[in-house]
Amino acid sequence: MSQLSEKIANNVAAIRERIVDAAKRSGRNADEVTLVAITKYVGLEETKALIDAGCLQLGESRPQSLWEKADAFSDNSVHWHLIGHLQTNKIKRTLPLISTLHSGDRIKLLKALNKEAESANLSTPSLPIYLEVNISGDTEKHGFQPDDLEKLLPEIANFHSLQVIGLMGMAARQGGIEIARKNFESLRLLRDRLLTNLPENVDLSQLSMGMSGDFEVAIEEGSTAVRIGSSLFEGCS
Ligand SMILES: *Cc1c(COP(=O)(O)O)cnc(C)c1O
């Protein structure tokens, strides 16, 4: 094993251990938490090392980078997640490559995705998708406003080729871990509120929240998918 592969395998093992500990602390089962390994900072060599270390759920934030990596690693066991903003003119090329979209951040996108999914011959009949919510109030962040979602859900439920599986959110850039906890808690509470009046065919059981700096509190607040990049590559450059 190369030094790089060994380092990355060790980092993956350490992160998995921290996921298990955080789940235990909050009385949860670590099996409920999916590790999505984010490859946006690295190239093909590091991505290969992640796959070899057992990370088969991989994520990119830029469509172009996802195209490149998905092309290089097209093995059926590898699943690609898009976690960043998707322009509608990139849907056609992106849709066949991804297994999950974490950044369903506006009606216009959902509508266009639904239309494309209807006409395309995809391996999965409907695209699993998280509705991204701007929980931090950071103005430069994408996503639905928390207060707007309830009245938009019936419209979203009509996009039959999309399979809404949950909500995604990011903590405030500035603010530290306790603010992050509050942000994640607010996403979970929003989800719980929406559950009381949920249209058929919308599922909000999953919560995509938590990155390298805050995934442990995200798990304590109910995350079912953590998106971790930089911590997996510590000591690699
Ligand atoms: C980059 C990114 C991550 C991973 O961030 P790290 O802090 O490197 O773990 C997670 N989610 C989104 C949406 C990102 O853009």
Side-chain angles (χ1 to χ4, degrees):
M1 205 191 258
S2 76
Q3 225 175 351
L4 179 74
S5 299
E6 197 174 327
K7 186 80 217 163
I8 287 177
N10 286 338
N11 288 347
V12 169
I15 292 291
R16 290 203 185 280
E17 209 164 292
R18 287 170 63 189
I19 290 173
V20 168
D21 288 344
K24 265 193 200 144
R25 270 200 304 280
S26 40
R28 304 183 56 209
N29 188 333
D31 295 347
E32 296 166 17
V33 184
T34 301
L35 168 61
V36 183
I38 308 305
T39 56
K40 69 184 183 191
Y41 308 111
V42 298
L44 299 180
E45 195 183 355
E46 291 88 347
T47 304
K48 173 76 167 62
L50 276 177
I51 295 169
D52 291 344
C55 292
L56 300 177
Q57 307 293 328
L58 301 177
E60 271 291 333
S61 58
R62 290 179 57 247
Q64 292 95 327
S65 311
L66 188 142
W67 301 342
E68 185 197 325
K69 291 200 178 85
D71 185 47
F73 303 104
S74 57
D75 189 298
N76 279 339
S77 60
V78 176
H79 300 282
W80 285 97
H81 299 234
L82 186 70
I83 62 168
H85 193 63
L86 177 59
Q87 292 169 284
T88 50
N89 64 4
K90 300 203 170 70
I91 287 177
K92 217 181 211 7
R93 179 139 183 214
T94 305
L95 199 54
L97 302 175
I98 59 176
S99 69
T100 309
L101 180 76
H102 290 246
S103 44
D105 57 8
R106 61 205 193 279
I107 291 289
K108 182 185 167 199
L109 174 68
L110 301 182
K111 192 176 199 165
L113 278 167
N114 187 59
K115 191 162 170 228
E116 178 64 22
E118 272 172 357
S119 61
N121 193 5
L122 300 175
S123 52
T124 44
S126 57
L127 175 70
I129 185 166
Y130 291 90
L131 303 176
E132 180 174 351
V133 184
N134 185 343
I135 47 173
S136 68
D138 289 358
T139 48
E140 77 278 17
K141 288 231 171 84
H142 296 289
F144 291 100
Q145 292 305 314
D147 291 341
D148 291 347
L149 260 191
E150 182 163 16
K151 66 172 189 292
L152 293 174
L153 281 184
E155 186 178 355
I156 293 170
N158 275 330
F159 299 139
H160 291 288
S161 293
L162 307 180
Q163 183 195 342
V164 174
I165 59 171
L167 302 180
M168 181 274 225
M170 275 181 279
R173 202 163 297 188
Q174 314 277 339
I177 202 70
E178 285 312 315
I179 299 287
R181 183 190 294 282
K182 282 274 169 224
N183 290 157
F184 297 143
E185 181 191 30
S186 74
L187 191 66
R188 172 168 50 79
L189 294 175
L190 171 67
R191 189 274 304 274
D192 292 348
R193 238 178 3 257
L194 294 172
L195 284 183
T196 63
N197 188 18
L198 204 60
E200 242 178 271
N201 137 53
V202 173
D203 172 5
L204 295 182
S205 56
Q206 311 289 312
L207 291 173
S208 170
M209 53 189 200
M211 315 184 3
S212 290
D214 55 24
F215 71 90
E216 286 153 312
V217 298
I219 291 169
E220 290 171 23
E221 294 300 329
S223 172
T224 59
V226 291
R227 310 175 311 271
I228 298 183
S230 43
S231 289
L232 297 172
F233 310 106
E234 260 163 35
C236 286
S237 56

